Amino acid sequence: MTWAEGYYDSMHGRISSAWKVEGTTLTYRATIPANTTATLYLPTSSADSVKEGAADARRANGVTFVKYENGKAVYTLKSGTYTFTAAR
């Protein structure tokens, strides 16, 4: 499987998630509704490779880097729409 997407209409609004793998790059899109947060576990070979838009994910608005553990970069996301890319 090289891609998947879905959504859930929660009481706070729509939560959506989509991912796609092309070669050695993972692209992940997420929408987090207003007044909520989410925890993202993004599989990657290195937390240094993760971008949100064109910026280093650790410096992106609404994104807080938590840790890198067991091949996953972990982030807390505030409400908003995000597009991450990462090396696999």
Side-chain angles (χ1 to χ4, degrees):
M1 188 147 79
T2 59
W3 68 275
E5 63 182 285
Y7 66 89
Y8 174 73
D9 289 323
S10 76
M11 60 193 263
H12 297 286
R14 181 164 285 192
I15 301 165
S16 66
S17 176
W19 61 268
K20 179 164 81 171
V21 174
E22 293 180 299
T24 61
T25 302
L26 168 67
T27 301
Y28 178 77
R29 290 187 334 258
T31 299
I32 313 305
N35 301 313
T36 63
T37 61
T39 302
L40 171 64
Y41 291 79
L42 193 66
T44 181
S45 58
S46 167
D48 294 336
S49 76
V50 181
K51 304 273 189 240
E52 196 290 305
D56 182 326
R58 292 172 287 197
R59 294 182 185 87
N61 288 334
V63 178
T64 302
F65 177 72
V66 177
K67 62 184 173 181
Y68 181 79
E69 183 175 71
N70 299 323
K72 295 175 183 71
V74 182
Y75 301 91
T76 299
L77 308 178
K78 293 183 179 178
S79 59
T81 299
Y82 304 93
T83 301
F84 293 91
T85 56
R88 294 184 352 132

